[in-house]
Amino acid sequence: MDKRILKTVKDIKELRVQGATNVAVSGLKALKFVKSEKEFEKASKLLASARPTEPMLRNGLKYVHYKHKMGSTVKEAVDDFLKMTSHTFKEIVEAGVRRIPDDSVVMTHCHSSLVNSILKKVKKQGKKISVVVSETRPLYQGRLTAKELSKAGIKVKFIVDSAMRSFVNDVDLCLVGADVLTADAFIVNKIGTSMLALAANEARTPFAVASELFKYDPETTKGLLEPIEKRKPSEVWRTNAKNVEVLNPAFDFTPAKYVNFIITEKGIINAFDVHFSVSTTYRWMF
Amino acid sequence: MDKRILKTVKDIKELRVQGATNVAVSGLKALKFVKSEKEFEKASKLLASARPTEPMLRNGLKYVHYKHKMGSTVKEAVDDFLKMTSHTFKEIVEAGVRRIPDDSVVMTHCHSSLVNSILKKVKKQGKKISVVVSETRPLYQGRLTAKELSKAGIKVKFIVDSAMRSFVNDVDLCLVGADVLTADAFIVNKIGTSMLALAANEARTPFAVASELFKYDPETTKGLLEPIEKRKPSEVWRTNAKNVEVLNPAFDFTPAKYVNFIITEKGIINAFDVHFSVSTTYRWMF
Amino acid sequence: MDKRILKTVKDIKELRVQGATNVAVSGLKALKFVKSEKEFEKASKLLASARPTEPMLRNGLKYVHYKHKMGSTVKEAVDDFLKMTSHTFKEIVEAGVRRIPDDSVVMTHCHSSLVNSILKKVKKQGKKISVVVSETRPLYQGRLTAKELSKAGIKVKFIVDSAMRSFVNDVDLCLVGADVLTADAFIVNKIGTSMLALAANEARTPFAVASELFKYDPETTKGLLEPIEKRKPSEVWRTNAKNVEVLNPAFDFTPAKYVNFIITEKGIINAFDVHFSVSTTYRWMF
Amino acid sequence: MDKRILKTVKDIKELRVQGATNVAVSGLKALKFVKSEKEFEKASKLLASARPTEPMLRNGLKYVHYKHKMGSTVKEAVDDFLKMTSHTFKEIVEAGVRRIPDDSVVMTHCHSSLVNSILKKVKKQGKKISVVVSETRPLYQGRLTAKELSKAGIKVKFIVDSAMRSFVNDVDLCLVGADVLTADAFIVNKIGTSMLALAANEARTPFAVASELFKYDPETTKGLLEPIEKRKPSEVWRTNAKNVEVLNPAFDFTPAKYVNFIITEKGIINAFDVHFSVSTTYRWMF
Amino acid sequence: MDKRILKTVKDIKELRVQGATNVAVSGLKALKFVKSEKEFEKASKLLASARPTEPMLRNGLKYVHYKHKMGSTVKEAVDDFLKMTSHTFKEIVEAGVRRIPDDSVVMTHCHSSLVNSILKKVKKQGKKISVVVSETRPLYQGRLTAKELSKAGIKVKFIVDSAMRSFVNDVDLCLVGADVLTADAFIVNKIGTSMLALAANEARTPFAVASELFKYDPETTKGLLEPIEKRKPSEVWRTNAKNVEVLNPAFDFTPAKYVNFIITEKGIINAFDVHFSVSTTYRWMF
Amino acid sequence: MDKRILKTVKDIKELRVQGATNVAVSGLKALKFVKSEKEFEKASKLLASARPTEPMLRNGLKYVHYKHKMGSTVKEAVDDFLKMTSHTFKEIVEAGVRRIPDDSVVMTHCHSSLVNSILKKVKKQGKKISVVVSETRPLYQGRLTAKELSKAGIKVKFIVDSAMRSFVNDVDLCLVGADVLTADAFIVNKIGTSMLALAANEARTPFAVASELFKYDPETTKGLLEPIEKRKPSEVWRTNAKNVEVLNPAFDFTPAKYVNFIITEKGIINAFDVHFSVSTTYRWMF
C-alpha cells in the first residue's frame, strides 16, 4: 500500500492530526493514493479504525464508497466530499453570523474553527463584539482561540474553566463547536462543554452549537454508546504519587435540553432535530 | 510599632499567608506583640484592612476587643481565640467523620484542611473511601490535596476542573471548605465550587461544606456585597496578546439551595441556618 | 400599479390591518389586481416588505410565485392559497376541539380566532367549559376575547395580566395562538405569552398553541433573528416625564420546552416537531 | 362469522388477552378466519373496538387493509404483519443490548417482554448486570419480571413501588416498555412509570423506553386524548367501606422531557422524534 | 368615641388610606385620641378589624398594648412605635443602598416607598443606575414609581406587566416591597410580584424584597391562611357583559425559594429566616 | 427489673408497638415502674436502644432525666412529658385545621394520627373535604386511613402508591405525618413520602407535614446519618426465587425544599426552621 496512506493512518492514530474535520480531510486525501479496488477496501478499513471516536472520517469513507458504487472514481468521490465539506463550512458560517447581533458578548470554550470563523466574520462586518474564552485544560486550546480572535481585533476576556458559572450570566450567547452528534440528541464536545451548557441553562443564557451534520454518528442509532477518548494522564499532571490515578477524558456529553439551537449546513435547527436533519440530508449515511 | 506586626500585615497583604484560618491565626498572633492600648488600636486597624476579603481575621480581632473590654489582656484574649479555633476545628472533623459511611466515594475541589482532616480520619477508622479531586486552576491546590490524601493511603482520582460534571453523578458526596459565609446564605469558596454544587444538584448528589461559623461575615448583614479577591492575571496566563484581558477571580458564590448541609462547630446545620447559628453562638460578632 | 394594491400596502404598513392571518389574506387578495408579470414582481416586493414581522404573508407570496412558475395564473394561485388557508383553519379547530374534554377550565391570553373558534365549538357540542382570560395590555385584546366567548354562552373569568400565576394552577389547559413559529422552536406570540407558559410549566398545567404551519418563518432557518415589532409608546402611557422611556414590544418568545403541543393543520404535534412538519408539508417554503 | 373470531373479540374485551403485542397478535391471527370481504370488514370493526386503549391492534388492522387493497390476501397481509412484528422485536433487542455496558445496574417497572429480552441477552453475552424491580401493584407484574430474570441468572433487587425514588439514584439506567406512543410525545405505560421517570430525571439517571413504533396511536395526531383503561377496583382493594371509591387506572403518561431515548425498530431515537420516525417508516398508518 | 378615631377606621375600611405602613401609622395616630381604658380597648378592636389584610397595623396595636401593660401611656406607646417605624425605615434604606453597586440596572414592580428611597439614595451617592418599572395594572402604581424616580434624575424604562419576562434577563437585580410576611416564608405583595420572582429565578437574576419585619403576620404562625384583598372589578374593567366575572385580587404569594434576600431593619436576611428574625426581635408579637 | 419494663422493651424491639408516638408513650409509661436510681439508669438505656430508629422515645427519656436532675421524681417527669405530648398533639391539630379551607381536596400517604385528627376535625366543623389516600405498601396502612376517614363521613379516593403522580395535580394540599426530623432539614417518613413530595413539587401542589418537634433527632446534629429501619422481606413478597433479594426499607427522606410548611406545636413553620424551632423550644434536647 502507498506509504502516504500508512503514514496518515499512523498520524491519526498517534494524535498528530486532531479535530474532527482535520482527521476526516487528511484521511480522505490519503485515500486518493489507492491503486486498486482491493487497496481501496483495505485502506478504508485501516482509516476507519484509526480513531474510533471520530465519526466524521467514517462518514466520509462511507460517502466515498457510496459514490464509487454509483460510478465515480475514488478520486472524484473524495474530491466531491472535500468540496461538500468546504461548502458546508461556509454555509454554517453564513447562518451563524446572522444570529449574532451588534453589541454582543459571546462566550466560547476550547477552539473551534467554525466558531472562530463566525466570530471573525461578525467583527469584519463592523459589528461590535467581545468574547469570553475559557482556557480549556489540559491542553489550553482556549489560548489558541484567544490569540486568533485578538489578532482579528476582537476584545477577549480570558478565564479559567471553573470560572464559567461566574461569567455566563453576563453574556448574550454561548457558542461552541462539536465533535460528534448522537442519535439520542447529545452533543459530544471538549470536556467542560456540558458544564458551560448547564450553567448557561441555569442563567437563561442561550447556548448554541456550530456543527456539520457530517459529525452525526450513525452507529449510535444502532445502539452504540459513543466512546469517549481517554488521553494521556501526563497531559493533566506528571505525578508519581501512588494511589493517584489521573483520568483524562477528552470530551463530555451535552444533552439537547441544554442546547438552544445548532447551526448546521441545513441552517438553524433545534437540537432535537439532528437525526431528522441528518437522515433527510445524507441518506447514504444509514 | 513592633516590626513583627508590620511584617505580618505585609505578609498578609502580599499573599505570603493564605487561607482564611492561616490569615486569622497569624494576624492574631502578631497582635500579641502590641505594647499599649494605642498600639493595640492601631495594629488592629492595620490587620483588619490587610485583606478586605478575609472576615475570619476581622472576627478574631472583634473577639479580642470584646474580651479585652470585658477585662482580659490582649494576650489572654488572643490565646482564648486561638484555643477556640483549634477546638472548633476538632468539633467539625468529629461531626464530618460521622457523616461519611464505609465504602464512600467523596469528591472535593481545591484544598481544605478541614475536608482533608475529615477524610484522613475516616480512612484511619478503617472505612474504605476514595476521593475524586479536581486540579483547581490556576494554582493547582488540587495537587496538594491529592498528595496529602494519597500519602494517607486514600485512593484518589484526579481530574481537570471542567470534568466535574462528568464524574459527579457517580460519587456519594461532595465535600468542600469555605472562605466566607454570608448573610444571604451564600458560601464563598474557591472559584469552581459553585460549578460543582450546580452539577451535584443536577445529579441529586449531596453537596456539603465544612466550615467554622467564624467565617461568617457580619458586614454582609449590613448590606456589604462580599468582595471577591481578584488575583494576578499571570497566574492564569502570561500573555501579551493585545485585546486579551485575563480575569482571575479567586472565589465564587454558591447559593444555599445547592448546599445540602454545612458541618460546623455547632454540628450539622442546613445552609439556610447559618445566620441563626452564628447569631446565637457568637453574639459578640454583631 | 393598481391603487388597491398600494392602499393595501399602506394599510399593512400603518397597522390598519392586524393579525398574521388578516395581513396575509388582505395582502394576497390585493395581489389579484396585478396586470403584468412586472407588476406581479413589483407588487410582491412591496407587500413582502410592508410588515417585516409577518412571515405568513411572505409565505403566501412565496406559494403564489411557486404555483405561478408551475403554470397557474396569479389569481388562481392566490385563490388556491386562500382556500388552503380556510381549509387549514377548519382542520385546526377540528383537532383542537377533540383535545378539550367536558368540564374543562381553559386559560387564554390575547385574542386568537383559532382559539376562540375551538372554544365556541366545544361549547356548541354541549360540553361544559369556562375560560380564564387575561386583559392583555396595552390594547386589551382580552376584552374582545371575553366578549366573544361570553356571547357564545361561555362563562369567563377576567383578570389582569400579572394575575396569571395566581390562576394558572387551577385550570386544566392553557391555549393560545401564535404569530410566528421559528426554526429554533420558539413560538412568537403576544407579549405575556411566555410568562403564562412559564407559570403553566411551574404548575404542570398543559400549555398548548393553535397555529397554522404557514406561520413558520423560513428565514429563521437561515439565521434570521426574528424581529419583534416595537409599537408606539403612547399605547402604554402618554407621558412626558423626562428620563422615562416607554418600551412597547408587541410579542415575546416562548421556548418549545414550555409548550406541550401545537395544534396544526397536520394535527397535534410536539413543539420540537414544527420544522419537521413544515418542511415535509410545505416544501415550496424553502 | 367464524366462532374463533368472536371468541378472540370476547377474550380481548374481557381482558383474557393482555399486553399491547399479545392483543395485536391474537386479534390479527383471528382475522385469518374471515371468509369473505364482508366478513373481513365486519371482523375488523369488531376487533378494532374490542379494546379502545390498544392502538397496536388497530395499527395492525390498518396495515392488513392497506396491503389487501394493494392486492395481498388477508392471510398474506396478516402473516406479513406478524413477520414484521417479530423482526421488529429482534431489532429492538439488538439495539437495546448494545446500550447496556458491562457492570450495569438497571431498574425496571412492571413486565415488558422487550425489556426482559434485552436484559437476558446482555446476561447471556457474559456482561455482569443486576436489576432493580418494583413490584407493580396492583397485579404484581414485577414478580413475573423478577422470576424471569432470576431464572436467567440475573441478580434482582425487589422493592415496593413507592421505594423507587430511594433506589433510582444508585442505578445506571432505567428501562421500561410502553403501551402507547402519542402525537404529543407522551409514553403511555403501566401506572407508576411516570413516577420512576420523574425520580430518574431528578437524579440524572438515564431513563429509556423500549417500544415498537407500531404502538404509536395515529388518532392522537387528530386530537384524540388517549384514553386510560380503568380497571376493576377489586384488583386494588375489596372493600365495602362506604364513602370509599377505589380508582384503578392501568396506565399513566410520561412526558418526553423525562425520557432520554427510545429503543425502536429504527434504532435509538430521542423521545421527541417518535412522530417523525413513525410517519417516515409507516406511511400507511396515517 | 372621638370622631377622629371613627373617621380613621372608616378611611381605612373604605381604602382611602393605603399601603401597609400608611395604614399602620394613621391607625396608631388615631389611637392617641382615646380617653379611657375602655375606649382604648374598643378603638383597638375597631382598628384591628378595619382591614383584615393588614398585619402591620395589628402588630402596632399589639405593641401599644404590650407597652401600656408595662406602664407606658397609650400616647407614649404610640409615639414609641412611630419612632421605631421611622428608625426602621432608615435602617432598611441604609442596608439596601449598600447592596446596589455602581452601574446597576434594577427592576421593580408597583410602588414601594422603601424601594424608591433606596434607589433615590443610590442615585444621590453619585452611582449610575437605571430602573425598569412595570405599570402595575389595574391601578398603575408603576406610573407613580416612574415619575418619582425620573424626577430624581434616574433613567426609567417603563413596560407593561406582561413584558417582565422579556426584560428580567438583562437586569442586575429585582427589588420590590412587601405587604405581609408569613410563617411559611411567603412574601405577600402586589399582584404580579410572584410572576416577576418566577421569571427572575428562571434567569438567575437576583430577586430581593425590602420590608420591615413589622409586616410579619403572627396569625399565620397559628395556621391563618393569609387572606388576599379582593378589590372592585371596575378597577379592571367596567363591563356588563353577562357570563363575565372580573376577578381583582390585590396581592399574590411569592415563595421564599424565589427570593434571594430580604432587606430588613435587622439587615440582610435570607428569606427562610423571616420567622427567626421576627421572633428574636419582636417577642411581644407572639 | 420490673417485668413490665422488660416486656415493653421486648414489645418495642419486636415491633409489637409501632409509630413514633406510641413507642415513646409506651416506653415512658414503662419507666414509671423503676424502683431505684440504678434501675432508672438501666431501664433508660434498655429503652433507648430498643429501636434505634425512633428519636422521640429517646427525647422523652432525655426530658425525664433532665427533669429528674432538676428535682422531679421519675413518675412526675414522665407524667409531665405525657401531658406535654398530649397538649402538643392538640396544638398541632388546631393549627392544621385552620390551614384547610372549605371545599378542599387533600392527599395523604400511610396512616398518621395527626393527619387523621386534623381531617376529621375539619369535617366536624362542617367544611366539605375529600381525601385521596394511597394504599401504602407493603403493610397497607392506607386502608386504615381510608376506613377511619370514611367512618367520619369523609369521601375518600383510594389508589395504589404508584398512582400518586396521576392524582397529585388535582388536589389542593398534600398532608402527611413524620417519624423523624433531622438537622439537615429532612423529613423521615413512611417509604413513598418523598415520591409524593417530589410529584407535588412538580405540580405546584402544596406539600405539608404535621409533626411534633419531639421527633427531631438531636444526634443528627452531631453527624449521625439517621438509620432507616429495614423490615422483613416477607412483608413484601414471600419468594424463594434465588438471585432475588427483597429490600424493605420502612422510611425515606424528604428534603425541605419539597416541603411547603410543617405544622408543629409551635405553629406553622417553614421546613428549614425545624432546627431553630426545636433548639429554642426544647433546650434540654441538646
Side-chain angles (χ1 to χ4, degrees), chain E residues 59-75:
Chain E
N59 284 334
L61 293 167
K62 207 177 245 183
Y63 179 79
V64 171
H65 278 253
Y66 165 79
K67 275 293 184 180
H68 188 53
K69 223 175 277 168
M70 312 281 282
S72 310
T73 66
V74 172
K75 207 179 152 307

Side-chain angles (χ1 to χ4, degrees), chain D residues 20-77:
Chain D
T21 312
N22 290 340
V23 165
V25 166
S26 84
L28 288 177
K29 280 184 174 166
L31 208 59
K32 294 208 235 171
F33 303 117
V34 297
K35 275 158 221 137
S36 66
E37 286 302 306
K38 210 177 123 195
E39 215 176 285
F40 175 42
E41 288 304 324
K42 215 173 134 195
S44 299
K45 264 176 209 156
L46 280 175
L47 285 162
S49 61
R51 188 83 62 80
T53 58
E54 282 299 357
M56 186 167 167
L57 171 55
R58 282 197 303 276
N59 285 332
L61 293 166
K62 208 178 247 180
Y63 180 79
V64 171
H65 278 253
Y66 165 80
K67 277 289 185 182
H68 187 53
K69 223 175 277 168
M70 311 282 281
S72 311
T73 65
V74 171
K75 209 181 152 308
E76 281 165 4

Side-chain angles (χ1 to χ4, degrees), chain A residues 244-271:
Chain A
V244 175
E245 181 189 10
V246 178
L247 296 171
N248 187 14
F251 305 108
D252 66 13
F253 290 90
T254 300
K257 69 177 168 177
Y258 296 152
V259 178
N260 291 59
F261 58 94
I262 305 187
I263 313 170
T264 74
E265 63 269 39
K266 297 297 285 182
I268 304 298
I269 64 170
N270 81 64

